[in-house]
Amino acid sequence: MGEIRNFRSGNNGDPPSRGVGPRRLAAIIVGDIASYSRLMQVDEEGTHVRVKRIERDLIQPSIIEHHGSLVKTTGDGFIAIFDSPVEAVRCSIVIQQNLIGRNASLPRETRIEYRIGVNLGDVIVEPDDVYGDGVNIASRIEGIAEPGQVYISGAIYEQIKHKVVCGYESLGDRKVKNITDPVRVYRVLPDADAVGKTKGRRENILIFLLSLTLLVIATGVLWYLLAQAPRRASEQAALPTASPAASPSPQPPPREAAPQTPQPSPSSASSPPSPAPVPSQSTVPVREPEMVVIRGGSFAMGSNDDPTERPVHQVAVKPFSIAKYPVTVQEWNECAAAKACSFTAIGKDDAPVSNVSWTDAQQYAAYLAQATKKTYRLPSEAEWEYAARSGTQTKYWWGDKLQPGMAGCKDCGDLAAEQPAKVGSFRPNPFGLHDMGGGVDQWVEDCWHKTYQGAPGDGSAWSSGDCSAHVLRSGSWKNDSRYVRPSNRDGYDTNVRYPTHGFRVALSP
């Protein structure tokens, strides 16, 4: 895990070193609040409290989660360094997308929005700060970023372009203050819908240029034809007129006798002709996920491995069905094509859909329910764990020891990769369910609670309390093996998308 280092405290009370600090290659994040002065002028105390809360609840935990170090906060901004460019960009995306969720219910003029710039460069690390062109470039990139956006340098882009599940829009080379050479800048597009819009905008530009080219060619051809017409007319007028007798007109060929058309019988003549059959418009059937019926039962939910998984409590689950696999890109895009889901996903058809929010997952479940007249929904947290455990009480469904080839996670074996494996790549659990651990994080119906204190005992979803965040299960291909335990749980903002988040559906009897 990363750490928040107290750079300001010196070396445990010792005098700071007078020499130059060590140099290192680092990914640097520089964040700054847009319109900070205006916000402070309107509500100085309230703005200060809100900024400190964001730093405490969002920025610092996100840096820790992505293995970075917070160098310092600057009142209206922050600087952090990371060993990994991938983790630096992921951290930036998490911060910005969380802020979108936090700002959704606020008037635009009161929103706290960060501009974030990320660069990879050589820096000098001092006890309470970092220095060097690497930091300066990150700061200049942040300065040209739009509020709520993440801009990265070309150096960062080259390191992450095939490793982070998002899109990028090249903004070209930019001349920035006090930096000799122009800097190549990219805008990060973490939202799949934004990726599609950018591609669409580029395609529209190409179509426009092609249309303009064709118009120029057509104009040239038309001009040529019009210019040639008078000359051809004068040439034809100069030719001698042929005498009618000199060239007798050819006789037309003998006309063949027209075949006799049989007269219709009175009965057939009196009846109107049959209308031509109108082709019926075939309706494409909705592709329903393959479901597995789960018999009801009772089990001990939770574990003592983590405070969020306590207390262990007995839960009785009623019979239900749950999808054999997480929802795929192909299944999701059929919903998007029907205008029922809000964006078109990218990736292979048989890959699990990712970068979806809890709200997105609800759109898909509602689409299935509407199209099939069946009670599709997200599983409750208790249903998900009951199905994931599949009658076992061990650390993993296959036992207490990690085994390769059983799940898709960062340290789960050869099949772990930079992208989630296609659904069904790993062995099913005893209930016949695939990917109930690793692959993609999976949304469930329940609102997030930090412990199980007061949780329902009947297997239903826990829908009371603060529902600004909902529960995620399974862990992802980016997590280590601790996250693929059936008891592992986490929470995330309801309306915020993240590249590792997916889901599967359930069905009431």
Side-chain angles (χ1 to χ4, degrees):
M1 295 295 289
E3 59 177 350
I4 295 180
R5 300 176 183 171
N6 186 2
F7 283 87
R8 298 186 181 279
S9 63
N11 299 316
N12 299 323
D14 297 334
S17 170
R18 298 185 181 276
V20 176
R23 302 186 74 97
R24 56 174 289 195
L25 184 66
I28 310 104
I29 291 179
V30 176
D32 181 73
I33 298 173
S35 303
Y36 179 74
S37 299
R38 177 182 58 79
L39 292 169
M40 290 293 285
Q41 186 176 10
V42 173
D43 182 8
E44 184 177 68
E45 184 174 341
T47 299
H48 177 73
V49 170
R50 291 169 61 202
V51 170
K52 289 303 177 184
R53 184 183 300 122
I54 290 171
E55 290 176 355
R56 182 185 68 246
D57 296 344
L58 174 58
I59 293 174
Q60 292 182 0
S62 297
I63 292 170
I64 290 175
E65 180 183 352
H66 293 86
H67 317 292
S69 300
L70 178 65
V71 177
K72 65 178 182 180
T73 57
T74 58
D76 63 342
F78 67 95
I79 298 177
I81 56 176
F82 296 75
D83 292 329
S84 166
V86 171
E87 295 295 342
V89 174
R90 283 184 180 148
C91 179
S92 302
I93 293 172
V94 168
I95 290 172
Q96 294 290 40
Q97 297 229 358
N98 267 277
L99 286 170
I100 291 173
R102 291 168 182 258
N103 285 328
S105 60
L106 298 177
R108 180 171 295 277
E109 63 273 9
T110 65
R111 295 176 182 176
I112 293 178
E113 296 181 303
Y114 279 78
R115 296 184 296 256
I116 292 181
V118 190
N119 181 47
L120 178 67
D122 195 55
V123 296
I124 300 171
V125 181
E126 292 288 354
D128 60 350
D129 212 339
V130 288
Y131 303 91
D133 276 352
V135 181
N136 294 338
I137 292 174
S139 179
R140 301 306 181 196
I141 293 174
E142 172 270 310
I144 63 176
E146 298 174 6
Q149 299 289 335
V150 177
Y151 282 19
I152 62 175
S153 67
I156 287 285
Y157 172 76
E158 291 300 326
Q159 296 295 319
I160 71 168
K161 59 185 178 182
H162 300 305
K163 300 177 182 178
V164 179
V165 186
C166 61
Y168 310 94
E169 181 181 10
S170 175
L171 303 178
D173 292 338
R174 296 291 186 93
K175 181 68 176 174
V176 295
K177 185 178 179 181
N178 296 332
I179 303 298
T180 304
D181 298 324
V183 178
R184 176 63 58 91
V185 178
Y186 294 84
R187 181 165 70 100
V188 177
L189 304 168
D191 188 336
D193 197 25
V195 176
K197 289 177 181 177
T198 300
K199 289 181 178 178
R201 185 164 63 249
R202 289 175 179 170
E203 289 172 358
N204 289 338
I205 293 173
L206 290 174
I207 291 172
F208 171 76
L209 293 175
L210 180 59
S211 301
L212 185 61
T213 303
L214 293 175
L215 181 61
V216 171
I217 294 172
T219 302
V221 171
L222 181 62
W223 176 86
Y224 174 78
L225 293 176
L226 292 175
Q228 294 295 318
R231 186 168 61 184
R232 289 180 180 174
S234 61
E235 290 176 354
Q236 290 177 358
L239 292 175
T241 304
S243 169
S247 57
S249 58
Q251 294 297 322
R255 185 176 299 174
E256 295 181 3
Q260 295 294 322
T261 304
Q263 296 297 319
S265 65
S267 60
S268 63
S270 60
S271 62
S274 301
V278 178
S280 60
Q281 185 175 0
S282 60
T283 303
V284 179
V286 174
R287 185 190 306 271
E288 293 187 63
E290 185 177 351
M291 306 298 287
V292 175
V293 177
I294 306 296
R295 293 186 297 174
S298 181
F299 77 111
M301 184 173 180
S303 79
N304 292 313
D305 293 338
D306 188 271
T308 64
E309 301 166 16
R310 302 173 190 156
V312 177
H313 57 294
Q314 203 70 17
V315 177
V317 176
K318 298 176 182 178
F320 68 104
S321 297
I322 191 168
K324 188 174 184 178
Y325 310 102
V327 173
T328 65
V329 169
Q330 183 179 28
E331 291 168 339
W332 173 269
N333 283 343
E334 289 177 359
C335 175
K339 309 299 182 185
C341 290
S342 55
F343 68 91
T344 301
I346 57 176
K348 296 181 179 179
D349 284 348
D350 56 2
V353 68
S354 59
N355 203 30
V356 296
S357 67
W358 183 86
T359 305
D360 294 330
Q362 290 288 356
Q363 288 179 351
Y364 181 82
Y367 154 75
L368 275 185
Q370 174 70 24
T372 64
K373 308 304 179 186
K374 299 178 183 178
T375 52
Y376 280 104
R377 55 181 174 80
L378 293 183
S380 71
E381 186 173 14
E383 288 173 336
W384 194 97
E385 184 169 330
Y386 180 74
R389 287 186 178 278
S390 56
T392 68
Q393 284 295 323
T394 50
K395 186 175 182 179
Y396 309 100
W397 64 258
W398 59 82
D400 288 320
K401 299 293 184 181
L402 184 65
Q403 297 179 18
M406 305 299 285
C409 74
K410 189 164 62 175
D411 56 351
C412 285
D414 295 339
L415 286 178
E418 286 299 326
Q419 301 291 334
K422 69 177 183 179
V423 298
S425 295
F426 303 93
R427 286 178 54 185
N429 69 11
F431 281 179
L433 304 174
H434 291 263
D435 310 317
M436 296 292 282
V440 289
D441 298 293
Q442 297 173 31
W443 289 109
V444 295
E445 185 69 28
D446 302 55
C447 302
W448 170 249
H449 297 79
K450 292 184 178 179
T451 70
Y452 283 134
Q453 197 67 43
D458 60 357
S460 62
W462 196 358
S463 301
S464 61
D466 179 14
C467 289
S468 61
H470 279 78
V471 177
L472 284 162
R473 288 308 201 107
S474 178
S476 79
W477 82 97
K478 286 298 181 186
N479 297 129
D480 60 43
S481 56
R482 293 174 298 168
Y483 290 81
V484 305
R485 295 176 298 111
S487 61
N488 178 72
R489 59 195 299 266
D490 202 354
Y492 203 77
D493 286 16
T494 300
N495 297 314
V496 179
R497 294 168 181 160
Y498 189 68
T500 65
H501 294 173
F503 67 101
R504 72 176 71 213
V505 293
L507 184 61
S508 299

